[in-house]
Amino acid sequence: MVKILPAYLYLYTQKLQINLILIMQRRSAIKNLTLAVGGLVSLPAWASRWTPDSIGKVSTSVVSEDNQMILAEIVETIIPETSTPGAKSLKVNQFIMRMVNDCYGEPVQSNFKKGLTLIDDLAKQSYGKAFTSCDALQKADVFNKMRKSDDTSAKQFTNMVKNLTIQGYMNSEYVLVNLLNYNMAPGFYHGCVPIGK
Amino acid sequence: MSFLNIDSVKNRTFDAIVVGSGISGGWAAKELTDKGLRTLVLERGRDVKHITDYPTTMMNPWEFEHLGQLPKAIKDANPIVSRCYAFNEDAAHFFVKDAEHPYVQEKPFDWIRGYQVGGKSLMWARGTQRWSEQDFDGPARDGFAVDWPIRYADLAPWYSHVEKFAGISGNRDGIPQLPDGEFLPPHEMSCVEKHFSEQTAKHYNNTRPIIIGRCAHLTKPQPIHYQQGRGQCQNRSLCQRGCPYGGYFSSNSSTLPWAQKSGKMTLQPDSVVHSIIFDEKKNKATGVRVIDAHTNQMTEYYAKIIFLNAATMNTNLILLNSKSHRFPTGFGNDNGLLGKYLAFHNFRTTISAEYEGFLDSTSEGIRPNSSYIPRFRNFFKQETDFLRGYAAGFGSTRMLDNDLSGIGEDLKTNLTAKKYGNWRVGSHMMGETIPKESNYVTLDSNLKDTWGIPQLKISVSYDDNDEKMIVDFHEQMTEMLTKAGFKNVKTHDVPSKAPGLDIHEMGGVRMGKDPKTSMLNKWNQFHNCKNVFVTDGACMTSTSTQNPSLTFMAITARAADHAVKELRKGNL
């Protein structure tokens, strides 16, 4: 029977196979091979390959599409594209929207909406144009002004967006796999290794 | 209920019935089927098949919509289970939601449950230490509860029996607090953990050992583990999702498939046990009444022996609900003690500190385990103004001290650069609590659950002994850490943290020598109904400080062995 499950519960089938093949390569005894093959045979029927977009479209119920564009520029301001991808192309803004929509209550959501309007107003005040039309230096200046302002709600907004940007960026596939050498299995633990080796 | 169809009764008759498929129920199933008994295993929750039903097990961090955090709506709807450390996006599907099975809290108690085949053995924390002679001696020596009817020597061979099969990683430390077992290779301690161990040995004349934790992980699988279809632990530390490698012990990966292979086990999920059937003429139990979780239909099942392994609270609930002419206040309850003398482990407080040495070293990778500080207080004799003592987990990590104050390219560079700060260590207390008559469970006289069974009313709280122990943990650990050169020592007691979150609740159907003061004899049989056995946490006379599961496993295997011998002798 095929079970209907939310998209986020789907397995990354290929990774499972690779891991089990790794086990097979690492063991010589024939019974181990049987074990690994046994594992492959019993893969769930509903497993399907996950793609970055299969996580689902972000709801616009809390924040309009226009303001989500502002958010995309903010995360890029916090972690810009260099020789490696920045937060925007890693879709960190979508992660933040999922968190704001699903994991926070109304007061935080309102303050978040307010912050997006505020940053646009501040850009218009400072540079006479929308935040999204500012250049990178101008955007950074506007965001920093807001961070350092005395207004509690502006501060809360910038802190929250910055923290979520860092969380989303550090847990993105690109950063984990390419910059932090993430490997689910086989893992290891060494209690004491010299730094820089 | 009368059944005219003889075949139907025959189909519902087994040699043995095991209620519950968690860590102890799985062992009862394995041992009884190994010895040839046709065994019915009843599980109130849904089926969870090894690998197939671990939907999140191979998911990478970025594949979780909220990177592990649960949506606010789920947390708001489930305040109790949301306080459990493991109730996150990756394993929430293995935990009972608050509304699914309500209970009454006469005093605050967070009852954390896993209703499925495998029970909480899927999500447990896998710490497995043997009890010592001093733990079994405790109640008699210190004058609380009642004397245990068994001693370490009674259980030692059964510890070995279950350790070999389950696969326990550990170091042979040779310390009286935790007798050595049948160990697979140990995990490594970090430089700072070793330093703390060495310093504490020196400052306290070897009376306060600090060792690597012993845990149910296959650090080097043996033929017996391959025969179960399990393989090498991969150090993923994603255990609460279920392990596709069978790297840690669970009923799902180990005992249940083993029992299944025997051809003697019938595993029946979605079966809520209502009560035990007692036959006055035969003067023994003849079976159990079971409610289908979905249709609410009641059916009776029959067997010569019954093992109750529904987990502490639900075993108490079933027994309290098993009222008959012979036992009007609950099964076996001639002395009025059923549901009383419950205890738990006091997990209320933690301590943290920093170490400024070993700055040229770090630990790397992930360890599904931590270091462990066995009980040192009041161990050989009474030394303090409180009874018993505490064990503690102990872990360390090298902190990163990158400058994350800015934004832009600097921040981006700093995020993945590794600028190391001090070592940070943390420890959590696991205190023995004293079983008391005033810590109890009863049935609510009005409220019922979905299946028409009275709701459990829980009345369990900390006492003065627990408060004194917390103060002592803070003082002693601060002293030990300070003597070993740690700085910035901070304690973090959370008085609002209710009992229950330790998920180590025990007692209510305690073992003992005297039928007047205990429910079960030394073989886990009811004093007054020898064919019913309780071998989960409910049977515990006292709690000691060790993570309890290994002891439940050993007690279960020992009782199953006795049950089959008695059955063959015609005594049951």
Side-chain angles (χ1 to χ4, degrees):
Chain A
M1 197 180 77
V2 177
K3 293 179 185 174
I4 310 293
L5 285 167
Y8 71 86
L9 293 183
Y10 280 23
L11 290 190
Y12 204 170
T13 316
Q14 226 166 10
K15 272 275 160 67
L16 179 57
Q17 286 173 346
I18 289 165
N19 284 325
L20 290 169
I21 288 162
L22 270 175
I23 307 178
M24 287 192 276
Q25 288 169 343
R26 274 154 204 274
R27 299 197 187 124
S28 50
I30 189 82
K31 58 193 159 209
N32 305 358
L33 188 78
T34 317
L35 162 69
V37 172
L40 271 179
V41 169
S42 58
L43 257 181
W46 43 264
S48 78
R49 190 188 165 128
W50 178 90
T51 66
D53 294 315
S54 70
I55 266 181
K57 197 169 177 290
V58 172
S59 157
T60 51
S61 61
V62 175
V63 173
S64 69
E65 222 157 316
D66 282 354
N67 277 359
Q68 289 194 25
M69 304 264 288
I70 298 179
L71 180 64
E73 294 307 317
I74 297 175
V75 302
E76 186 64 13
T77 304
I78 297 168
I79 302 179
E81 181 128 352
T82 53
S83 57
T84 61
K88 186 179 166 186
S89 69
L90 295 175
K91 298 186 175 167
V92 171
N93 48 312
Q94 288 187 11
F95 162 68
I96 295 179
M97 279 318 308
R98 279 197 299 275
M99 295 298 283
V100 171
N101 285 336
D102 303 340
C103 295
Y104 293 94
E106 206 280 320
V108 177
Q109 289 176 343
S110 315
N111 194 59
F112 181 79
K113 270 195 286 193
K114 199 171 130 194
L116 290 173
T117 313
L118 204 65
I119 201 167
D120 210 31
D121 291 347
L122 199 58
K124 283 170 189 157
Q125 246 177 54
S126 309
Y127 297 106
K129 51 188 169 186
F131 183 77
T132 48
S133 305
C134 291
D135 67 27
L137 280 177
Q138 292 168 335
K139 282 178 195 152
D141 179 53
V142 172
F143 187 78
N144 277 329
K145 266 187 195 151
M146 213 167 145
R147 278 213 299 157
K148 286 162 190 163
S149 85
D150 294 330
D151 181 44
T152 322
S153 107
K155 266 204 160 97
Q156 268 173 9
F157 169 79
T158 50
N159 282 342
M160 176 177 161
V161 173
K162 186 179 164 186
N163 287 338
L164 286 172
T165 302
I166 291 174
Q167 192 192 358
Y169 174 76
M170 294 299 280
N171 287 287
S172 67
E173 181 172 13
Y174 179 84
V175 172
L176 279 173
V177 172
N178 298 298
L179 305 182
L180 300 174
N181 301 320
Y182 174 80
N183 186 31
M184 183 185 278
F188 61 90
Y189 179 82
H190 304 305
C192 206
V193 293
I195 283 172
K197 219 183 118 184
Chain B
M1 220 180 285
S2 69
F3 292 95
L4 299 173
N5 187 334
I6 302 293
D7 274 348
S8 165
V9 170
K10 209 175 141 196
N11 291 340
R12 287 180 282 115
T13 303
F14 297 81
D15 296 328
I17 290 174
V18 176
V19 181
S21 64
I23 221 152
S24 67
W27 267 100
K30 176 197 170 285
E31 295 297 304
L32 295 172
T33 53
D34 269 354
K35 294 172 199 298
L37 266 56
R38 284 179 57 252
T39 304
L40 173 67
V41 179
L42 296 164
E43 166 54 51
R44 67 176 299 151
R46 66 187 172 100
D47 194 12
V48 169
K49 289 204 166 57
H50 183 48
I51 304 180
T52 318
D53 290 331
Y54 304 156
T56 57
T57 189
M58 296 310 289
M59 282 174 70
N60 289 300
W62 58 88
E63 291 168 335
F64 289 95
E65 264 189 299
H66 308 96
L67 294 179
Q69 197 174 322
L70 280 167
K72 187 170 185 296
I74 295 178
K75 285 186 177 175
D76 288 351
N78 298 282
I80 296 169
V81 66
S82 291
R83 287 192 280 272
C84 173
Y85 69 98
F87 186 67
N88 297 310
E89 202 170 21
D90 66 339
H93 48 282
F94 289 146
F95 288 87
V96 170
K97 312 303 176 290
D98 293 8
E100 285 169 6
H101 189 192
Y103 62 99
V104 182
Q105 299 180 56
E106 228 169 44
K107 292 170 183 168
F109 187 92
D110 291 326
W111 186 15
I112 307 301
R113 293 152 289 172
Y115 290 170
Q116 62 248 329
V117 167
K120 299 192 293 292
S121 79
L122 276 171
M123 317 88 86
W124 67 312
R126 310 168 311 282
T128 39
Q129 310 93 16
R130 289 186 179 201
W131 279 38
S132 69
E133 191 56 50
Q134 283 74 10
D135 295 313
F136 287 101
D137 273 348
R141 188 194 83 179
D142 291 347
F144 66 94
V146 288
D147 190 11
W148 274 90
I150 56 171
R151 284 295 181 271
Y152 176 69
D154 295 307
L155 214 51
W158 296 101
Y159 274 131
S160 290
H161 178 75
V162 298
E163 283 166 346
K164 282 182 209 158
F165 189 84
I168 306 297
S169 146
N171 185 49
R172 298 186 66 83
D173 299 295
I175 54 175
Q177 290 91 336
L178 302 179
D180 289 334
E182 312 289 332
F183 293 144
L184 304 174
H187 290 117
E188 214 184 311
M189 292 171 83
S190 77
C191 4
V192 167
E193 292 162 17
K194 280 183 197 155
H195 166 80
F196 188 39
S197 180
E198 286 157 13
Q199 289 291 308
T200 305
K202 194 173 87 188
H203 294 128
Y204 295 88
N205 199 22
N206 291 317
T207 59
R208 299 188 178 187
I210 298 170
I211 62 173
I212 184 65
R214 297 163 182 182
C215 61
H217 282 263
L218 299 184
T219 49
K220 191 179 178 194
Q222 301 300 306
I224 185 67
H225 306 123
Y226 292 128
Q227 283 166 36
Q228 299 167 36
R230 300 169 60 201
Q232 176 84 38
C233 167
Q234 300 289 307
N235 272 56
R236 307 189 321 154
S237 266
L238 304 175
C239 316
Q240 68 281 358
R241 303 178 183 180
C243 182
Y245 310 94
Y248 72 91
F249 173 85
S250 66
S251 298
N252 310 63
S253 66
S254 176
T255 45
L256 291 176
W258 187 272
Q260 192 75 54
K261 250 190 319 197
S262 74
K264 299 278 183 186
M265 179 179 76
T266 303
L267 175 62
Q268 192 172 303
D270 304 306
S271 301
V272 181
V273 172
H274 172 279
S275 53
I276 296 173
I277 304 162
F278 184 79
D279 186 318
E280 270 188 60
K281 283 189 208 115
K282 294 178 182 161
N283 197 31
K284 61 183 178 185
T286 51
V288 294
R289 301 179 189 91
V290 174
I291 301 175
D292 184 298
H294 302 300
T295 66
N296 276 9
Q297 200 154 23
M298 193 183 278
T299 311
E300 295 185 350
Y301 293 88
Y302 310 103
K304 296 175 195 125
I305 56 169
I306 297 163
F307 268 68
L308 273 177
N309 302 89
T312 298
M313 293 302 195
N314 273 320
T315 287
N316 275 280
L317 174 52
I318 292 167
L319 291 167
L320 287 163
N321 199 40
S322 300
K323 291 173 182 167
S324 58
H325 181 256
R326 168 71 183 83
F327 296 122
T329 63
F331 197 88
N333 197 19
D334 289 338
N335 55 24
L337 296 180
L338 178 61
K340 295 176 179 170
Y341 295 94
L342 270 159
F344 56 100
H345 282 155
N346 180 355
F347 270 50
R348 217 174 73 182
T349 191
T350 58
I351 193 164
S352 63
E354 287 180 39
Y355 191 69
E356 290 167 355
F358 299 107
L359 293 178
D360 54 354
S361 307
T362 185
S363 57
E364 265 186 5
I366 310 172
R367 180 180 60 182
N369 190 8
S370 72
S371 286
Y372 185 90
I373 308 173
R375 174 159 79 97
F376 51 81
R377 268 309 199 198
N378 302 322
F379 186 72
F380 289 109
K381 61 179 197 318
Q382 184 64 34
E383 303 155 336
T384 65
D385 66 344
F386 59 87
L387 289 179
R388 313 310 291 163
Y390 43 83
F394 184 75
S396 67
T397 177
R398 189 78 196 269
M399 289 197 293
L400 290 175
D401 192 20
N402 299 335
D403 177 11
L404 306 182
S405 62
I407 59 166
E409 285 189 33
D410 284 351
L411 173 66
K412 191 181 182 186
T413 311
N414 290 345
L415 275 171
T416 49
K418 283 192 172 160
K419 187 177 171 236
Y420 288 96
N422 289 332
W423 284 87
R424 189 178 174 81
V425 298
S427 176
H428 66 277
M429 166 176 152
M430 301 181 271
E432 177 164 356
T433 69
I434 306 299
K436 299 181 297 279
E437 196 168 4
S438 56
N439 277 348
Y440 61 86
V441 290
T442 54
L443 299 183
D444 192 275
S445 42
N446 300 310
L447 297 169
K448 305 236 159 117
D449 68 14
T450 315
W451 303 277
I453 297 171
Q455 286 187 19
L456 194 66
K457 189 156 70 182
I458 304 177
S459 190
V460 170
S461 61
Y462 299 111
D463 64 13
D464 188 47
N465 201 65
D466 301 324
E467 299 293 341
K468 284 178 178 164
M469 204 184 281
I470 287 169
V471 172
D472 191 68
F473 173 81
H474 290 163
E475 285 172 1
Q476 296 305 311
M477 285 293 290
T478 302
E479 183 186 282
M480 286 154 68
L481 287 163
T482 307
K483 281 185 177 174
F486 288 83
K487 301 273 162 64
N488 198 16
V489 180
K490 285 182 185 158
T491 61
H492 316 268
D493 181 22
V494 187
S496 64
K497 187 173 172 180
L501 285 181
D502 44 298
I503 327 183
H504 287 181
E505 59 271 13
M506 288 175 252
V509 198
R510 69 184 180 190
M511 296 168 73
K513 293 170 178 163
D514 184 350
K516 289 195 197 73
T517 57
S518 62
M519 304 295 298
L520 307 170
N521 69 12
K522 65 176 174 176
W523 301 107
N524 298 74
Q525 298 165 287
F526 273 88
H527 288 299
N528 45 21
C529 184
K530 297 282 196 292
N531 72 330
V532 178
F533 296 76
V534 176
T535 69
D536 61 11
C539 78
M540 301 295 280
T541 308
S542 65
T543 73
S544 186
T545 55
Q546 288 86 331
N547 301 60
S549 295
L550 182 73
T551 300
F552 301 167
M553 298 187 217
I555 281 179
T556 301
R558 177 176 177 271
D561 182 66
H562 181 75
V564 175
K565 280 179 184 154
E566 288 293 289
L567 204 54
R568 299 223 165 106
K569 282 186 213 155
N571 291 342
L572 293 178

